[in-house]
Amino acid sequence: MEASAAAQGPVLLAVHGALKTFGPVVALADGTIELRAGEILALCGENGAGKSTLVKILAGVHAPDAGTFTMDGAPCAFRSVADSKATGISVIYQEPTLFPDLSVAENIFIGRQPKNRLGLIDHAQMRRDAASLFTRLGVPMNPGRRAEGLSIADQQLIEIAKAISLDAKVLVMDEPTAALSGAEVERLFKVARALRDAGAAILFISHRFDEVFALADRITVMRDGRYISTHRTTETSVAAIVHEMVGRDVDALFPARNAEPGPIVLQVSGLGRRGVFRDIDFCVRAGEIVALAGLVGAGRTEVARAIFGIDKSTSGTVSVNGHELAPGNPQSAIAAGIGFVPEDRRKQGLVMDLSVARNTALTLRRRFSRFGLIDFRAEKRTAATWARTLQVKISSMDQAVATLSGGNQQKVVLAKWLATEPKVLIIDEPTRGIDVGTKAEVHRLIAELAGHGMAILMISSELPEVLGMADRVLVMHEGLISAALERSEATPESVMHAATGSKEAAT
Amino acid sequence: MSEHATVAVDTTAPLADVVPVRGPRWYAGRDATMVYILLAFLAYAALSIPRFASPVTTGFLLLDVVPTLLIAMPMTLIIVTGEIDLSVASIAGLSSAVLGVAWASGTGIWVSIFLALGAGLLAGIFNGVLVAYVGLPSLAVTIGTLALFRGLALVVIGDNAVANFPNEITALASAKLGTSGIPLVILPVVFVVLVFGLVLHHTAFGRGLYAMGYSKDAAHFVGINVGNSKFWLYVASGLVSAAAGVFWTLRYTSARSDNASGLELTVIAAVLLGGVSIFGGKGSIPGVLAGVLLIGSLNYALRLGRVSDVVLVTVTGLLLIASVIAPSVSAAVGRWRHSQRLRRHLARDQGAEPG
């Protein structure tokens, strides 16, 4: 009812044929959106579909190479962040960057603080203004407190308050819910709906369909840097949107596997790191996929880092095929046959400015050396082989990995470790920030590797992934393994109970 | 698929037909540009500055750049990892002082040289431990040791100068290869350059340095020992700087505490001019070689033309700034040309498409 009323509002922001290229890579070939006053428009697309590029153009971060942009019917420019602000656009990022040492009010009015007669900042006035903004948003927040230590949800609200104080007509929310809890998402949605009803236009970007369908009035789909379609939310379905996003039907199901686990490859005994986790006992057999589940902060990544030797464990042992590893020594872990695909691709997994070939070969530096000198041809050949095997989409092996989409970057990280022919592969969040299509590909790949006898330890926050992929699920809670579930016992409920530390009877 | 708009630009094979995807070509890179500039300058100087094109020039020019060139080698590797060593000239001064005092107190000349190099090695270890293992920022550490090592040099030798080195040794420092005018000392210097070039460009260790320069985290995750790598670079820097100090002493037949003072800035300027990024991750030994020679020959040409030192310093400074700006300018021009080409291409495509 509201949706249909909103969809008839006048077009506020119109973008047609926005084009953005980075070197030879076209990030956005035809960015098109029509955003109406008083509506929430969701932008859907796989990673690499050009959503973030479009957002960055609207934010004034990337200057577009071509395209027409109108606000309220008048042409507008997006050459800088100032242009974008002047046009009346505010972008709320997934993780806002506030000044931690300044107060909430100062963060909102930074650079345009109200002045008193002496030309000094009028703190009382500023706090009053900030308080009235939060009243309008309907959320309680003390404008005088320091921004440090605020939750991401609260930080986003501060950004929204700032946007309102700037009289922003268009609010762009770039995956705002990715790091929020359920209740925080609800609060954000309440604020978003209130703003919409007050006449603002909101562009909402999310990978979560339940949120998109709960919040948006209309949905615009993008694929491969192009505009595909726009639908009223009430007139479409998740399946239809997914179909348009990937351009094909995704076999969303996880690959079927007949696990026939071999001998124990990775044995972790009594592993602990003071103050972080303790008494971690488990093994991974050849050909087995073991998932490490749990809430963020339960210590899963920390366990993986200690196994690989990035962090030094303070007790316990890790052994591969009965051979004990030196603690705190990644070289020894690599030599023993462990590969580690870390959770933060951009910071830990890849050297973003180096080429695909060099990144792939980084783990093999020594293997390609003859008399201490690297054989460039062998290096490139091996890298090219792996890029082909994993179907990494690249224009050249010399292309910097920074220019690839998230999914393709993840494939390069995988290639880099697979090239070492590991016996154990630890994968931390294998499909975080990866589009639907590549996700299925990565899942198939992991299943295949296990099928070839690799022992796989997978950390994942996505429950379907854990349940769909793992032969066994280890659930962590506050630094301890709270449950070890066989595939047959692992259900969303049993995993969540163990992860939250709640007793089954409690719910 | 067919119901959707035709894809004019296939993002999976990005524009291979529109924009040639350039791999690194030896004649088009930043290093090559530096070599062209160097050659152009040498040609200009040879034609327009009297007495420039002569064996005497070659001799003096090369002798002049030896200390810069030597120290620029480890400096390149250090800057590639994103660190810096400002104490190099002070280490050279310290090694000069040690050499002078050892020799003056009756130690044999070779043992004295050995002691001087040992002092440099210790200085390098000191820097290395603080930066690599204690984890202090290299800028702070080496600003401190810049003063500390120069102070130690003063403690060692005081205000004195030792000048009575044996003739056969000092003659060796400026001996020429036959009549070519090329100094003998260039042979070991070329060897050092080759070694550092091979280490940076052709070994696993060197590959690791680039990775560290871009992202220490990512380097750590592929099993590169970031601490050890840095430590050895500072040790190498100390040793090579001490060697430069020994050469300086013997060439000018004078061991003084203020030898080579201020040389660190020339070295860093030459390295940056040679295309090494101050942020780490980028740069090459051939580029640095060209950078050092360019600054060296420019200085020499200006001096031949009786231009004062003030102008000389100013010119070096301008060159350095130009070298830092040049890549951004050329990148901006490249982006603009690319978007123009792309726009034409898309316009053509859209024209060809029905509807």
Side-chain angles (χ1 to χ4, degrees), chain A residues 32 59 72 86 113 129 134 200-201 225 285 287 343 395 397 411 436 448 453 473 483:
Chain A
T32 295
D72 256 342
Q113 296 91 337
D129 289 350
F134 287 120
R285 294 167 182 277
E343 63 178 331
S395 55
M397 290 303 291
K411 286 185 187 175
V436 183
E448 243 173 66
V473 181

Side-chain angles (χ1 to χ4, degrees), chain A residues 36 62 82 134 143 161 241 258 285 293 296 318 326 358 454 503:
Chain A
R36 297 178 174 155
H62 291 331
F134 287 120
I241 298 290
N258 284 323
R285 294 167 182 277
V296 174
V318 176
R358 295 244 162 137
M454 203 179 282
K503 298 203 170 55

